[in-house]
Amino acid sequence: MTNSFAEFQNAKMFMVIGSNMTEAHPVASTFLKNAVMNGAKLILVDPRRQPLADFADLFVQIKVGSDIAFLNALMNVLITEDLYDKKFVQSCTTGFDELKAKVMAYPPEKVSDICGVSPEKIRETARLLASVKPCMLCYTLGITEHTCGKNNVMSTANLQMLLGNMGVESGGVNPLRGQNNVQGACDMGALPNVFPGYQQVANPEARAKFEKAWGVTGLPDKPGLMIPQMMEGLASGKVRALWIFGENLANTEPDIAKVEHELASAEFLVCNDIFPTETTRFAHVIFPAAAWSEDDGTITSSERRVNRIRKVSDAPGQAKPNWWIFKQIAKRFGHEWTSNSGQEIWDNEVSVLAPSLAGIKYHRIENDGLQWPCPNEEHPGTAFLHREGKFTCGLGVFNAVDWTPPAEVPDDQYPFVLSTGRRLYHYHTRTQTSRAGMDVILPEETADISPHDAKSRDIADGDYVRVWSRRGEVVVKARLTEQVPPGMVWMAFHFREGNANWLTNPAFDPVTQTAEYKACAVNLEKKV
Amino acid sequence: MDSFTLTLNGKQVEFEPGQTILTVAENNGVRIPTLCHLKGCTPTGACRICLVEVAGARSLVASCSTPAEKGMVVETETDRVHRTRKLTTEFLMASGKHDCITCERSGACTLQDLAYRYGIDKVRFETATRPYENEDANPFIIRDFTRCILCGRCVQACQEVQVNRAISFGYRGPHAKIIAGVDVPYHESDCVFCGQCLQACPVGALVEKKARFAGREKDVEKVRTTCPYCGVGCQLDLHVRDKRIVKVSAVEDAAPNKGRLCVKGRFGYDFIYSKDRLTTPLIKENGEFREASWDEALDLVAAKFKEIIAKHGSDAVAGVSCARSINEDSYQMQKLFRAVFKSNNIDHCART
Ligand code: SF4
Ligand code: SF4
Ligand code: SF4
Ligand code: FES
């Protein structure tokens, strides 16, 4: 997030696109609802009539995967009707002419068919957006989980720059991060191209710095593989050994049948986990790990806030902290690492090596955490980025992009679009929530369909239905809901049985390698 | 500039226009008891426990809903104030079953504190019987209507704080009750089990089911931590007894959640005590897992990685880190891959 949750409260307008906030980020949604009750405007853009629709001034129900076309059309209107922030565009950005040329090819009349929204409504949305400043734009996986995910993200940034909503309190582009520490895992360099603090592995100076700090030579300069490439590498023999820490890839990755084949192909698979999962079945060695509240450490939230996690008890049996496990392997390779606790790792290594975290030390985050960038120990942390239009690389760059449809679209054989997401009571593959009583409230997966489609296929609420795609099939109960538009099936991946990932398409954004969980083609029928 | 001052218990104090008498008192270290008042919400003035005496006013005024005014003379602890608060407390005590011995909230109950503060050793009124059974049908929240004093804080928490709009006041007179939807159990209503009502309840009318008989306020130590679920990063107080988490509440006034939680953060803590936990290293042999010592398992992994790297190069190993675990673990794993294995094949599910 460029901005902070605390800014929700004073925001004057929100545009929420592809974010089922009340279920995926419930507490954030309460601050948004408070602001709306106090008069803030809300524009909700979503293929589903999700719970926030009741609070929206304008609910724009676009078709799955039409985001870029829609956003380009909004920008078309803003430019054509002269409603954009010329001062901001002139002084803080570059690339406006290319953007203008591009979005001129997206007049509302043309886009209307692609996104299923009338030209009038597109114009109305653009005008409303331009009428209040600043506007806080929030998105989640509805934007990123597409083959055009990266372009979707760039489009949201284009829009906010065009409106001059960057670098201001209660504005900005705010991706709500899914997991508690997905932000932190990125910050720590658990990415194939960067060291901690986003220092590029390709940069010789960065390598020299880390070689010195770690007492090694010859750090590799070529960015490594991303998860989908690793998985394909297992099948092709390019990758021989895989170490999976915590993730339950056998349920979370698209096309379970393919993923399981890949996992089974590994010459050697190691897992660290707290529970046996569908993924650990394929392991050759499983290390039992300490869980949340069994170790001291930090996690970094969506708003770049580094918060403390505290230990309450020892891990059960012989389970050990994960950092300890990695350290023991290093030792067997002849590397003696000195840090011997979360605090030593953070205070003596992480915050020393990552400039944006330099000012964050355990003693400073006893209570509220600090938001990076926090370059020194006197620094109060940073609530919002790009203050007064100052982008890290100078000017904000417009990246004009074209709309592309999802990799797989409905046809005669598979007439429905399957879109996936999360439900309130469970978290991912339920390894945790199923063991905390939530199954009582939400006991099984359902296929959410519109009453309209249910009627035409003679399906009643609670009937078992067969849903199949080119990759697999599941049998689940149907849940009839007006939230879902005709032509759509909506599911989650919380349960092994009826897991949407038996169906989803392993098609990825070419740059980010994010899978297209939000769109594939399926068919469905009542199970007799 | 003209300053805004009033007299509070004989002392001149400043205030900002728009502040209530209660806020002014709090800012000046004067504690006025409250029951129905929920910070940040519209005052309802329902319970009358926060009454104070204002010179010139005919009756006592509710400090939580009365704006401070220039030149006001306010007394918070007069005999008249005490008598009235005592009477109000007695009425509340007689309004239902307040047998603290069996109550989960004993020791952390505002009504109990008030009874003690106003020296009540005998309730002069007959105890009313409430016509409603306990609701115990969902896994998280027990509703005990016999202990409900109808202060309405839960309604405000649900309506104004979380804006879930699941509960409201229902019926009248002796039948008054906080109802979910059209008076259905929580789990059949719009309730999303955020538990904000629970956190707001000043008495034992709403209690955590999993925490029942697991440890009262005096038995627990509170440990602040961060929620293990989504990226909002809510701050929790773990209520810990004998090194075991028995309950979770939200840290009031903490960034970012300001005393709020959702169902996962509040009730999703006990997975760590599941009997399914992995407790020993496991090595697969002939398709079956067997228990192993740490040394054996670590030696095997190190040997295998050495062998594969020697045979196929560093690019033949890869690692997937965890977006749920602590930063220090992810740092350590990428360090292992880069500095030791000499591979940049390290990733995590940054994109899902
Ligand atoms: S748990 Fe949350 S949603 Fe349910 S009644 Fe209480 S405050 Fe309302
Ligand atoms: S349940 Fe608790 S918070 Fe709600 S009205 Fe009754 S006493 Fe007040
Ligand atoms: S309490 Fe709910 S909203 Fe807050 S961090 Fe946890 S899961 Fe997210
Ligand atoms: S606290 Fe003021 S009337 Fe209840």
Side-chain angles (χ1 to χ4, degrees), chain A residues 239-242, chain B residues 305 308-309 313-319 337 341 343 345:
Chain A
V239 174
R240 301 280 169 150
L242 181 66
Chain B
F305 271 73
I308 288 169
I309 291 170
S314 293
D315 288 344
V317 301
F337 271 76
F341 300 159
S343 171
N345 291 343

Side-chain angles (χ1 to χ4, degrees), chain B residues 238-256:
Chain B
L238 306 177
H239 298 229
V240 178
R241 186 188 200 187
D242 300 331
K243 298 204 165 180
R244 196 180 164 94
I245 305 167
V246 295
K247 182 163 105 178
V248 168
S249 59
V251 183
E252 298 284 353
D253 298 320

Side-chain angles (χ1 to χ4, degrees), chain B residues 141 158 164 166-167 186 191-197:
Chain B
I141 301 174
C158 188
N164 289 328
I167 52 176
Y186 265 14
C191 170
V192 292
F193 292 100
C194 66
Q196 206 65 40
C197 50

Side-chain angles (χ1 to χ4, degrees), chain A residues 387-434:
Chain A
R387 188 177 280 268
E388 281 143 26
K390 288 192 201 75
F391 293 88
T392 29
C393 54
L395 297 173
V397 183
F398 284 114
N399 286 295
V401 289
D402 273 314
W403 170 73
T404 48
E408 189 179 76
V409 292
D411 54 22
D412 289 347
Q413 236 188 324
Y414 298 96
F416 290 89
V417 57
L418 169 71
S419 201
T420 70
R422 282 27 171 210
R423 300 184 197 271
L424 173 67
Y425 295 103
H426 282 302
Y427 204 87
H428 282 194
T429 62
R430 277 170 52 257
T431 49
Q432 300 175 353
T433 45
S434 72

Side-chain angles (χ1 to χ4, degrees), chain A residues 196-199 209-210 350-360 372-376:
Chain A
Y198 303 97
Q199 301 168 82
K209 170 179 170 178
F210 280 89
V350 176
S351 62
V352 174
L353 291 165
S356 55
L357 303 170
I360 304 180
W372 66 257
C374 180
N376 59 61

Side-chain angles (χ1 to χ4, degrees), chain A residues 493-512:
Chain A
F493 61 81
H494 300 308
F495 295 84
R496 176 71 177 180
E497 289 73 43
N499 190 310
N501 284 329
W502 292 103
L503 312 171
T504 45
N505 189 10
F508 303 89
D509 181 290
V511 181
T512 66

